[in-house]
Amino acid sequence: MTAMTKWAISDHDLIQKDVVQILRFYGFTAQEEAPARIPEGGYGRTDVVGRKGHITIGVEIVDSGDVARDAKKLVMNGYTYKYIIVLRPSKHVDKILVDGEIVKVLDPTSFEHELRRDLRIPPTHPYFRGGLQQEPEVEIENITSSILQEIRDELYDIGLEMYEKDVFDALRIVYISGNLEVERRVGYNPAKKIPGEYRPKNIPPEVLAILEKLQLVDAQRVGTGYSRKLVLFPNERGREAGHAIVTETISKYQDELSRLIQNYGPQIWIVLMGSLSTRYPSQDDLYISTR
């Protein structure tokens, strides 16, 4: 449960300037009081507008109450991402749907987190640290979380919960393989470093960065010359999470797996033997671990 900071209408200008600085920090051209169409007809203003390439950001800052008009204005002006920052929300509303488009409704301290989620900012990019940016106060609940819930919570805390499936899929592959090639050298000149010397393989770079940030894997470069590559290994925490992911997946498809085993038992065993043979060359070494 997050302890909400109390804001007043007198903070409007301060927050407005802070939003401008945040947008500029992420490479946007941003301005206050930008001209915009209004629902009543004619033209008025949007509190903050940011532009970078084909992406536009529209932000309205309101005291409290009905935000429907402001949501309509943001949609009318066609901003790519639309936010309403409410200083004194009377009730919790996290988004409004207008003509099929989503307008997010936030408190001031949540704006940067939502912006990073929408723009898919990688975890290696630092947060804006000026203005009103602050870590939310959190009341820790006295509950025991599973390792997967811990990872979900950590992804949410850094604004990257939309990568949950990508992270879990990648970690499952790393866990099952034991070691996974994630970069291969494609350009090699011993005399100088070549841009683009390594090419990603199996896992996108942004997902690799998240796995390392959450301390789920260890990475090591192996080989020489054109054979040099980056290999990923699950560490102790990664093995625990990988085991939980595989167990969760098996439980999810337990009925289907039971049917396949019943109908195709001998064939499935042949497939398993073949898939494990490169890692375990002799039958004496073959085993199936429950860990």
Side-chain angles (χ1 to χ4, degrees):
M1 179 179 178
T2 303
M4 297 292 293
T5 303
K6 292 184 178 180
W7 306 93
I9 189 61
S10 57
D11 295 315
H12 180 283
D13 292 348
L14 180 63
I15 293 169
Q16 189 176 28
K17 294 181 185 302
D18 191 68
V19 169
V20 168
Q21 292 302 315
I22 290 173
L23 290 175
R24 289 175 179 171
F25 178 78
Y26 289 101
F28 285 81
T29 300
Q31 68 176 100
E32 303 173 29
E33 304 297 331
R37 291 188 298 153
I38 58 176
E40 296 84 356
Y43 282 84
R45 301 280 177 174
T46 297
D47 283 330
V48 178
V49 171
R51 291 183 174 84
K52 182 169 69 171
H54 65 281
I55 299 174
T56 56
I57 306 288
V59 183
E60 283 290 285
I61 303 165
V62 302
D63 181 37
S64 63
D66 185 12
V67 295
R69 176 191 175 275
D70 298 285
K72 180 68 173 176
K73 178 168 69 171
L74 293 172
V75 170
M76 284 177 60
N77 286 275
Y79 304 117
T80 311
Y81 300 107
K82 301 162 278 291
Y83 308 93
I84 297 175
I85 296 176
V86 182
L87 304 181
R88 295 185 300 170
S90 56
K91 60 181 179 178
H92 180 71
V93 177
D94 57 4
K95 63 184 176 182
I96 297 176
L97 197 64
V98 179
D99 297 335
E101 297 192 37
I102 294 175
V103 180
K104 293 190 174 182
V105 182
L106 317 166
D107 68 271
T109 57
S110 300
F111 172 69
E112 185 179 7
H113 294 287
E114 293 299 326
L115 182 70
R116 288 174 68 100
R117 291 187 188 107
D118 289 338
L119 297 179
R120 299 179 73 88
I121 301 295
T124 50
H125 193 293
Y127 274 77
F128 173 71
R129 295 300 178 188
L132 301 175
Q133 175 64 26
Q134 54 186 283
E135 293 296 327
E137 299 176 21
V138 177
E139 179 183 336
I140 305 298
E141 295 183 7
N142 187 21
I143 59 174
T144 302
S145 299
S146 69
I147 182 64
L148 299 187
Q149 188 58 49
E150 287 179 12
I151 295 171
R152 291 186 183 103
D153 291 342
E154 290 171 15
L155 286 170
Y156 182 84
D157 288 342
I158 59 177
L160 294 171
E161 68 273 16
M162 70 290 230
Y163 281 98
E164 179 186 318
K165 183 179 184 303
D166 297 322
V167 168
F168 284 1
D169 285 347
L171 186 56
R172 181 175 62 245
I173 296 170
V174 175
Y175 170 74
I176 292 173
S177 67
N179 57 79
L180 183 70
E181 180 183 348
V182 292
E183 283 184 2
R184 174 169 287 275
R185 178 177 268 166
V186 294
Y188 179 54
N189 184 339
K192 62 180 180 178
K193 183 176 178 63
I194 301 174
E197 183 178 1
Y198 289 92
R199 179 175 298 164
K201 183 178 179 182
N202 296 316
I203 296 178
E206 64 271 19
V207 177
L208 171 59
I210 298 172
L211 290 172
E212 292 181 316
K213 184 177 181 67
L214 298 182
Q215 299 181 346
L216 295 166
V217 296
D218 294 325
Q220 180 181 357
R221 291 207 181 274
V222 298
T224 58
Y226 275 105
S227 298
R228 191 159 176 79
K229 58 189 176 182
L230 181 68
V231 177
L232 223 56
F233 305 87
N235 56 27
E236 183 176 351
R237 187 176 192 234
R239 287 192 294 272
E240 181 184 355
H243 176 67
I245 292 169
V246 171
T247 302
E248 191 176 84
T249 303
I250 291 173
S251 297
K252 181 179 179 181
Y253 296 103
Q254 183 173 357
D255 292 342
E256 179 66 12
L257 289 171
S258 297
R259 185 186 66 79
L260 289 173
I261 290 171
Q262 182 177 358
N263 295 338
Y264 306 103
Q267 294 92 328
I268 290 175
W269 181 246
I270 291 171
V271 171
L272 285 173
M273 290 284 288
S275 64
L276 293 171
S277 61
T278 56
R279 187 175 176 190
Y280 305 110
S282 67
Q283 187 169 344
D284 292 339
D285 294 330
L286 182 64
Y287 72 96
I288 298 175
S289 174
T290 58
R291 287 288 296 171

